[in-house]
Amino acid sequence: MSLYWRIFLLNAAVLVTAVLLLLGPVTVSTPVLFGEAVVLLAGLAAMLIANAVLLRIGLAPLGRLTRAMSAVDLLRPGSRARVEGPGEVADLTMSYNAMLGRLEAERAGSSARALSAQEAERRRIAQELHDEVGQTLTAVLLQLKHAADRAPGPLREELHQVQETTRTSLDEIRRIARRLRPGILEELGLHSALRALTAEFRSGSLTVRHVIGPGVPRLDDAAELVVYRVAQEALTNAARHARATAVEVHLAVRPDGAVRLLVRDDGRGIGAAGEGAGIQGMRERALLIGADLAIGGGPQGGTDVRLDVPAVATAAAAAHAAATATATETADAPETTTTTTTARGLGEGKR
């Protein structure tokens, strides 16, 4: 029975009961006697209570659906409302679940395009910093050295100070370029990139240690980039906001074949603070490869950032390696004209 007919019959039953009471032996005097008033008020209260209870029962599935809709988070996909209730309520719940699935797919697609454009822009800026600003500062350093060699004593000291300032600026620009475009990731792989990343964050006030477990398989290009960026953002948060003195970066393989990245610091923790743009960016990246991201307190305080990359990423990397090897063998084989083309993930080419 539809929701319309249930509500209609419910109100009809209440009205029919009121008419039957009027047609029954109960009479109302003028003025109304006390006993008659008590009977009328009791009957009215009974009808109102019955109406409220039946409406509450009939509309309860809609209330549960409303709570499920208010709690949904597209950055934590997979949650669905339980299909229950008769007629239109169940249809409405199924339609909502289908709509949520489409929204999650569209969100993942738009996030992939946005992050791909972001990585392309990072590469462009890093290239311009290296080719334009870096080369200009290098030329300025050479000119300063030439001028310092010919300058008198007092002026030579000032020119040396300017040289050091310029050299420091050049080193900072190179460091920014490396963060924008992790060239070591595509040249030497994820393990070497994580080692270089931890060394970059290591300072006198912050100890950073990396632990790479045995047998960690190679991930595909998209997954490696996501792991690197999540580790980079977690280390940045630990260094800038958490007031941490020690950070550990672990990369290990789980029994189910998934690869886990764990960044653990001894800082002040997240507490009641909301998730900022950095954490939301990590969640967006995790969605691209179907990884699970969990951020919470560590066993001894601080913050744990856990990223579990599914085993399908390692399988994709193995398939890509096999296809590349096949393409190489085909290209080297005599009297062969077959060309094998492999596609790289995340639409980034070689990053």
Side-chain angles (χ1 to χ4, degrees):
M1 185 183 297
S2 67
L3 182 63
Y4 166 78
W5 283 109
R6 290 203 306 274
I7 294 178
F8 173 78
L9 293 178
L10 175 64
N11 288 283
V14 173
L15 294 176
V16 168
T17 302
V19 172
L20 291 178
L21 290 176
L22 292 176
L23 296 177
V26 179
T27 58
V28 180
S29 303
T30 304
V32 179
L33 300 178
F34 177 76
E36 295 172 345
V38 170
V39 172
L40 289 176
L41 291 177
L44 177 62
M47 287 188 294
L48 291 177
I49 292 173
N51 193 24
V53 170
L54 294 176
L55 281 177
R56 174 68 69 180
I57 295 174
L59 299 179
L62 290 179
R64 287 189 287 269
L65 178 60
T66 301
R67 290 190 294 272
M69 294 172 67
S70 62
V72 70
D73 186 359
L74 293 180
L75 292 178
R76 297 176 175 87
S79 63
R80 294 292 184 269
R82 185 175 60 185
V83 179
E84 57 184 354
E88 290 93 340
V89 177
D91 294 338
L92 178 62
T93 305
M94 289 187 292
S95 299
Y96 165 73
N97 289 337
M99 180 194 68
L100 190 58
R102 291 194 301 270
L103 286 176
E104 290 176 352
E106 292 173 1
R107 177 67 178 269
S110 62
S111 297
R113 291 189 295 271
L115 291 175
S116 178
Q118 184 185 75
E119 290 296 331
E121 187 67 12
R122 282 171 177 262
R123 290 196 301 271
R124 186 187 67 81
I125 295 175
Q127 192 70 29
E128 290 186 359
L129 286 175
H130 181 271
D131 295 343
E132 300 295 334
V133 182
Q135 297 298 333
T136 301
L137 288 179
T138 301
V140 170
L141 276 175
L142 294 176
Q143 293 174 359
L144 286 173
K145 183 180 183 303
H146 180 72
D149 292 340
R150 296 185 175 187
L155 182 58
R156 185 181 300 116
E157 291 298 326
E158 293 182 5
L159 289 176
H160 284 323
Q161 292 179 3
V162 175
Q163 274 186 285
E164 291 302 320
T165 302
T166 306
R167 186 175 289 108
T168 302
S169 300
L170 180 60
D171 292 339
E172 181 68 16
I173 288 175
R174 288 172 177 170
R175 183 184 63 82
I176 293 173
R178 285 196 302 269
R179 286 194 177 185
L180 287 174
R181 181 176 179 268
I184 191 173
L185 180 63
E186 61 186 37
E187 294 170 2
L188 301 178
L190 179 61
H191 298 181
S192 298
L194 288 179
R195 293 189 184 97
L197 184 65
T198 55
E200 182 178 345
F201 278 89
R202 198 173 293 130
S203 64
S205 59
L206 181 64
T207 301
V208 183
R209 187 170 68 96
H210 67 273
V211 179
I212 298 179
V216 176
R218 185 184 183 278
L219 303 175
D220 60 28
D221 293 341
E224 284 192 350
L225 182 61
V226 169
V227 172
Y228 181 86
R229 290 300 188 195
V230 170
Q232 186 181 46
E233 183 63 32
L235 286 171
T236 301
N237 290 338
R240 294 182 179 177
H241 309 298
R243 300 175 185 174
T245 60
V247 184
E248 293 183 356
V249 179
H250 296 263
L251 187 67
V253 60
R254 298 176 54 190
D256 58 358
V259 175
R260 166 170 289 185
L261 170 72
L262 173 63
V263 182
R264 173 173 293 169
D265 65 63
D266 62 348
R268 59 182 179 178
I270 297 179
E275 294 187 355
I279 296 179
Q280 292 181 359
M282 287 193 287
R283 294 196 183 280
E284 293 276 4
R285 291 182 180 277
L287 288 179
L288 297 181
I289 59 173
D292 294 328
L293 179 70
I295 302 175
Q300 297 179 350
T303 304
D304 277 7
V305 177
R306 292 185 299 274
L307 178 72
D308 291 329
V309 181
V312 66
T314 63
H320 173 71
T324 304
T326 302
T328 304
E329 293 174 359
T330 303
D332 294 339
E335 300 179 0
T336 302
T337 59
T338 305
T339 302
T340 303
T341 303
T342 58
R344 307 187 72 85
L346 198 58
E348 294 180 336
K350 192 61 178 174
R351 281 196 310 279

